[in-house]
Amino acid sequence: MKKSLILVATLVLAISCNTKEAKKDTKADMVENPLLVKSSLDYGAPDFTKIKNEHFMPAILEGMKLQNETIQKIVDSEEAPTFENTIVALEESSKTLDNVTAVFYGLAGAHTNDEIKEIQKELAPKFSKHSDDILLNTKLFARIKQVHDNLENSKLDAESAHLVKEYYKNFVKAGANLSEDKKEALKKINSELASLSNDFGKKLLDASKKGGVVVTDKEKLKGFSEDKIKSIEKDGSYEIQLINTTQQPSLQSLENREVRKELFEKSIHRTDGGEYDTSDLVKKMVTLRAKKAQILGFDNYASWSLQGTMANTPDKVFEMFNGLIPGSLEKAASEVKEIQAEINKNGGDFKLTPYDWNHYAEKVRKSKYNLNEEEVKPYFEVTNVLEKGVFYAATKLYGITFKKRTDIPTYHPDVVVYEIFEEDGSPLGLYYGDFFARDSKRGGAWMSAFVKQSKLRNQKPVIYNVCNSPKPAEGEPALISFDDVETMFHEFGHALHGLFGNQTYASISGTSTSRDFVEFPSQFNENWATHPEVLNNYALHYKTGEVIPESLLKKIKDAGTFNQGYSIIENLCSSNLDMQWHTISVDDTIEDVAKFEEGALAKMKLNVDEVPPRYRSTYFAHIFSGGYAAGYYSYLWTEMLSHDAYDWFKNNGLLTRENGQKFREQVLSKGNTMDYAEMYKIFAGRDPQAEPMLKARGLK
C-alpha cells in the first residue's frame, strides 16, 4: 500500500482563459463538477453514479489552484508566523485536492481505462512540479522554520507539536535548505522521475495484461479444475494471464512441463525486450535518484530515503539481511533436495528449475502433510472469509460491528460496501472490498482511502481494500486459496490502521507512517487467519456448511513452515535488489540491467538458481512505480514486528477485547504522532525481537 506524503503532491498550474465568456463557462463547469462539491452520501463517500472521466482533470486543476492561492496568502502574510496561520493553513490548503486525487488514484489502480491512463501521464510531471514548488518555497520554509524554532516556547499539544516537526523534517528532506540553483536542478530531476515512473507503470500493466500464455489444446491444461478452465476460456482457446510476481499461481497445478516453462518464461521476461522493455527506464531512474541524493548531500538514494524510518540507514537494512540469509539459504537448500527427490520419485529425468518448484513443492506438501490446495479451497468462500473471518476477528478484538450497504454506489459491480460501527453503536466509517482480478486493475493487493480520518476536517474514514483473487465463472462459488485468505486478513490490517486513526490532522492520520512501520498492522492481522476460533467460524464448506475438519486444520498449520526457505529467499532477493540499486553512487555507470542484477544477487550469496527474485528489476513495480524505492525491505522488517507482537498476544491471552483495545489505543490509533520505536516499546514493554519471526518461518 502507499503512504501519503505530509504534503499532497499537487501542481502549480492555473487554467488560463482569454475571454470573459470562457471564464464564465469554466466557473459553471466547476460548480457542476461532482468532485468539487460535498458528496451527499454518508461519510462523504464519492458518488460514482455522477463521476465521469472528464471531471478529473478540471477538478484536479481547480484543487491545485486553490492550494496555490492559500500558500500564496501564507507567504504574503505580514503577521508573524504562528502554528495556526502557517502550519494549519498549509495543512488545510490541500483539502480539495486530497478529496479529488483520492478518487482519481483509486480508480487509476483498481478500475482504469485509456483515458485515465492518459490523464495520469499528463499529471505526473505536473504533480512533481507542484510538490517541489511547495517544498522548495524559500519564503514558506522560512515561516515553517520560525514556528519550528519556537516550539519550546509554544503551548501546543503533543500532536500539533509533532505536526510542526514533521513539516520541518519533510521540507528539509526535500531540499528546502538548498541553494536556488540546486533547487532548480532538483526540480528538473523530480519531474523527470515522475514521468519515468508513470511510463514504467503503464508499460508493466500492458505487458502483464498482454503477455499471458494462450493454450488451444485443453489437454495441456491437465491439473486445472473444470471451474478454472471455464474461467480462462476465451473464444475457443484458454488464456493464462500473468500476475505481477515472478512465480505464477498456475505453475502449482499445471502438469504439462512445457506449458509451465512457457508461462514462467513469459513472466520473467515480460519487460525484458520489445514493445514493453523497461530496462532503459530502470537505468535512467536509478541514475537520476543517485544524482538527487548527491544534490541533497547524501552518498546514495537509500541513505537519503531512509531518514525518519525505523531502520534509518542502509547499514541497518543490510545488517538485517545478513542475519536472515544464512539460515534462509540452509532452509532453501534442504527444500531443493526434498523437491528434487520428489521429481525423481515421479519419474522426472531433469534437474529442478524455478518453473518446477511450485508444482513439485505442492506434491511434497501433499505427501508430507497430505494437504491438497484443491481440498482446502471449498472451505474458503470469499464472503464467508470476509464476514465470518476477517470481520469476526475484528469484532472479537475491537468490538466493532459491520452492516452491508447496498445503497452506496461503487466504481465496479464486484465491489461490496460495509458500514462499520463502534461497540457502543456509534458510526466509525465505511469499508469497500474489491477482491477479484480484472483487466482494468493493476496487480497485487492494497489498501487506501477515499476519505481520510481527520477531526479538523470533520471526516470519518472511507477505506477500501483491493485484491486480485481469480474471479469464478458465472454462477460458480468464489473459492480462494489460503494465500488469498491471508491476503484479505493482511489488507484488512491496513484498513483497521486507517479506520482507527484518531488524529486532528489528515496528513499524519492512520496509515501515514514510515514504510517500515505501515506494514506492521497488516502483517500482524494475518495471524488471526489461523487462530482456531476464527478459522472454525469462517472455514465452512460452501456446499454443506461443514466446519473445516480438525485434521485439515492441522495440516494447514503443520504446513505453515513448509517452503519458507524459498519464500524468504525470493523476498530477500528482491529486497536486496532494491537496496543495491539505491546504494549506487553518481559515479557508477549501469550498462546492463540483467548483469547488475546478477552481480547484486551474487554479492549477498543470493544467486540461487532454483529461487528467482519475487520481482526482477524490470517488473519491480514497488520500487519503480509504486513509491517503495529503498523501502521494499520493510516487509521483512515489519514481519519481525508482527510476529513479536503476536508473541505478546500469546503470552497475554490471545483473542481478547482487552488485548485488542490495548493494541488499538497504543498502536492502531496513533498514526504518525510519535517515534515508532517508542510507540512499539510502550505497547510491548520492550524492543522487538527477531526470534518469534525466525520460529514462525521455521528458521530456528
Side-chain angles (χ1 to χ4, degrees):
M1 61 151 285
K2 296 183 179 179
K3 170 183 176 260
S4 301
L5 294 175
I6 195 164
L7 289 172
V8 172
T10 52
L11 60 121
V12 173
L13 218 161
I15 304 173
S16 59
C17 303
N18 296 322
T19 67
K20 290 181 180 179
E21 188 60 34
K23 286 183 181 179
K24 182 180 177 182
D25 290 344
T26 301
K27 195 169 183 179
D29 290 343
M30 293 301 113
V31 171
E32 294 170 5
N33 192 317
L35 291 164
L36 293 172
V37 295
K38 185 174 175 59
S39 170
S40 61
L41 298 178
D42 291 351
Y43 301 90
D47 190 343
F48 290 106
T49 63
K50 297 177 180 177
I51 298 168
K52 310 296 179 191
N53 288 342
E54 59 265 27
H55 294 136
F56 286 120
M57 184 61 83
I60 289 170
L61 293 175
E62 179 68 9
M64 298 165 181
K65 182 170 76 73
L66 292 172
Q67 185 172 31
N68 291 329
E69 289 171 354
T70 301
I71 289 172
Q72 195 60 47
K73 286 178 184 176
I74 295 170
V75 299
D76 287 345
S77 174
E78 295 182 2
E79 295 179 0
T82 66
F83 176 72
E84 291 293 336
N85 69 22
T86 300
I87 304 299
V88 175
L90 179 55
E91 171 78 10
E92 287 301 275
S93 68
S94 65
K95 183 177 179 179
T96 297
L97 195 53
D98 287 349
N99 294 337
V100 178
T101 54
V103 178
F104 176 72
Y105 283 107
L107 291 187
H111 193 39
T112 193
N113 53 53
D114 290 341
E115 195 172 346
I116 287 177
K117 289 178 190 175
E118 284 306 309
I119 295 171
Q120 219 176 340
K121 183 176 182 179
E122 185 178 345
L123 285 175
K126 295 175 180 177
F127 274 131
S128 175
K129 181 182 185 303
H130 184 53
S131 178
D132 283 343
D133 285 347
I134 296 173
L135 291 165
L136 302 178
N137 185 316
T138 303
K139 290 182 178 178
L140 180 60
F141 178 61
R143 291 182 68 87
I144 292 169
K145 186 175 186 302
Q146 195 167 333
V147 177
H148 177 267
D149 290 349
N150 290 326
L151 259 182
E152 285 189 13
N153 300 321
S154 71
K155 295 181 180 179
L156 296 177
D157 60 82
E159 183 186 335
S160 298
H162 189 80
L163 182 71
V164 175
K165 292 174 185 175
E166 283 294 296
Y167 270 111
Y168 180 79
K169 179 186 75 179
N170 281 285
F171 269 72
V172 171
K173 184 178 179 181
N177 278 326
L178 294 175
S179 61
E180 292 305 317
D181 59 326
K182 285 187 176 180
K183 285 181 181 178
E184 289 306 311
L186 189 60
K187 287 179 182 180
K188 186 176 178 182
I189 288 174
N190 286 343
S191 178
E192 192 171 351
L193 280 169
S195 293
L196 292 170
S197 177
N198 185 74
D199 291 346
F200 184 98
K202 186 177 184 303
K203 278 195 174 187
L204 176 54
L205 182 65
D206 290 342
S208 299
K209 184 176 174 181
K210 300 174 184 177
V213 171
V214 176
V215 176
T216 54
D217 182 359
K218 185 179 176 182
E219 289 301 310
K220 291 184 176 181
L221 299 177
K222 186 179 178 183
F224 280 179
S225 67
E226 281 300 319
D227 288 345
K228 171 74 172 177
I229 293 171
K230 266 197 275 184
S231 72
I232 63 172
E233 186 175 5
K234 285 186 179 180
D235 303 321
S237 60
Y238 308 90
E239 183 179 359
I240 308 172
Q241 293 192 332
L242 298 180
I243 66 162
N244 59 329
T245 52
T246 296
Q247 287 286 16
Q248 302 294 301
S250 295
L251 293 170
Q252 180 177 293
S253 304
L254 282 167
E255 296 283 352
N256 188 298
R257 192 166 188 244
E258 288 306 309
V259 177
R260 289 205 310 270
K261 181 179 180 180
E262 183 183 0
L263 180 59
F264 180 81
E265 293 292 334
K266 288 255 190 175
S267 173
I268 205 164
H269 295 302
R270 73 185 82 176
T271 43
D272 279 358
E275 183 182 357
Y276 305 119
D277 186 13
T278 61
S279 299
D280 285 342
L281 294 174
V282 169
K283 289 187 286 186
K284 286 176 184 175
M285 276 192 273
V286 295
T287 301
L288 284 170
R289 285 170 179 170
K291 287 180 181 177
K292 174 175 178 171
Q294 184 187 50
I295 290 171
L296 289 160
F298 289 82
D299 293 336
N300 52 64
Y301 184 85
S303 295
W304 169 79
S305 179
L306 289 171
Q307 297 174 84
T309 64
M310 290 188 78
N312 205 40
T313 67
D315 286 346
K316 276 285 185 186
V317 177
F318 283 116
E319 186 182 314
M320 178 184 72
F321 293 166
N322 288 328
L324 292 172
I325 288 171
S328 302
L329 288 173
E330 188 178 335
K331 178 81 169 167
S334 69
E335 291 169 359
V336 168
K337 290 178 183 177
E338 203 170 21
I339 294 171
Q340 185 65 57
E342 185 69 24
I343 291 172
N344 299 342
K345 188 177 85 174
N346 280 265
D349 184 22
F350 53 84
K351 182 177 180 291
L352 171 65
T353 68
Y355 54 85
D356 297 315
W357 188 293
N358 284 354
H359 182 69
Y360 285 94
E362 178 64 8
K363 291 182 184 296
V364 171
R365 181 165 64 167
K366 286 177 186 176
S367 61
K368 191 171 183 178
Y369 303 103
N370 197 23
L371 181 63
N372 183 336
E373 189 69 53
E374 294 306 315
E375 183 186 4
V376 168
K377 277 185 179 180
Y379 292 94
F380 299 136
E381 192 278 324
V382 72
T383 302
N384 273 346
V385 173
L386 180 67
E387 295 183 347
K388 297 181 179 181
V390 175
F391 291 172
Y392 177 80
T395 300
K396 285 287 183 180
L397 286 165
Y398 311 111
I400 57 177
T401 54
F402 303 80
K403 177 186 176 184
K404 193 166 187 179
R405 296 284 300 265
T406 56
D407 58 326
I408 303 286
T410 61
Y411 55 85
H412 190 277
D414 287 348
V415 180
V416 291
V417 183
Y418 294 82
E419 186 172 9
I420 306 178
F421 300 91
E422 295 281 18
E423 195 166 24
D424 64 4
S426 59
L428 176 61
L430 284 181
Y431 170 78
Y432 293 56
D434 182 0
F435 302 115
F436 300 122
R438 55 177 171 269
D439 288 348
S440 63
K441 183 190 289 187
R442 66 176 171 85
W446 64 96
M447 162 269 177
S448 196
F450 288 129
V451 181
K452 283 195 74 175
Q453 180 274 332
S454 167
K455 294 176 187 174
L456 183 64
R457 296 180 182 178
N458 196 28
Q459 293 177 177
K460 291 186 180 294
V462 178
I463 304 295
Y464 61 90
N465 279 164
V466 182
C467 299
N468 267 285
S469 298
K471 187 174 181 179
E474 187 71 30
E476 298 296 327
L479 307 180
I480 60 177
S481 69
F482 188 67
D483 280 348
D484 286 339
V485 169
E486 288 190 312
T487 297
M488 286 177 67
F489 274 85
H490 176 103
E491 294 307 330
F492 196 73
H494 284 308
L496 289 168
H497 202 183
L499 287 162
F500 289 156
N502 190 32
Q503 282 64 61
T504 300
Y505 310 105
S507 66
I508 55 174
S509 172
T511 58
S512 297
T513 64
S514 72
R515 285 285 183 222
D516 57 7
F517 191 81
V518 78
E519 294 295 335
F520 163 37
S522 54
Q523 296 205 61
F524 168 77
N525 205 57
E526 290 180 35
N527 289 293
W528 304 115
T530 51
H531 184 281
E533 183 182 346
V534 179
L535 192 66
N536 287 334
N537 196 64
Y538 75 84
L540 308 173
H541 197 284
Y542 78 99
K543 284 183 177 177
T544 66
E546 173 198 5
V547 175
I548 190 167
E550 188 64 35
S551 57
L552 196 52
L553 172 57
K554 186 176 185 303
K555 290 177 188 177
I556 291 172
K557 286 188 171 180
D558 288 347
T561 59
F562 176 71
N563 218 32
Q564 287 301 308
Y566 185 100
S567 174
I568 199 165
I569 288 291
E570 69 164 357
N571 189 315
L572 280 165
C573 285
S574 292
S575 298
N576 173 59
L577 282 178
D578 175 26
M579 292 306 294
Q580 298 287 354
W581 278 122
H582 293 112
T583 49
I584 65 168
S585 75
V586 289
D587 298 324
D588 294 318
T589 301
I590 310 298
E591 294 181 353
D592 187 296
V593 171
K595 283 184 179 176
F596 179 91
E597 218 174 66
E598 288 172 16
L601 295 174
K603 185 177 181 180
M604 300 294 286
K605 300 181 180 177
L606 288 167
N607 51 335
V608 182
D609 290 342
E610 300 88 352
V611 188
R614 185 170 174 79
Y615 304 97
R616 289 187 60 230
S617 304
T618 54
Y619 51 89
F620 203 164
H622 283 78
I623 67 171
F624 292 120
S625 67
Y628 268 79
Y632 193 72
Y633 78 93
S634 61
Y635 286 99
L636 288 172
W637 187 279
T638 52
E639 185 183 344
M640 173 188 69
L641 296 177
S642 72
H643 284 299
D644 191 65
Y646 192 63
D647 198 54
W648 181 93
F649 270 74
K650 283 180 183 176
N651 294 329
N652 289 276
L654 278 174
L655 190 73
T656 69
R657 272 290 289 118
E658 184 181 5
N659 288 345
Q661 194 64 27
K662 177 180 170 70
F663 192 62
R664 174 177 178 171
E665 290 175 359
Q666 297 180 352
V667 177
L668 295 177
S669 67
K670 291 296 184 184
N672 175 15
T673 60
M674 63 186 295
D675 177 81
Y676 305 118
E678 182 186 347
M679 188 191 299
Y680 188 86
K681 197 167 184 177
I682 289 172
F683 161 69
R686 54 170 172 72
D687 293 327
Q689 299 170 352
E691 189 168 324
M693 172 184 168
L694 297 176
K695 286 181 178 177
R697 284 275 194 171
L699 303 178
K700 191 170 182 178

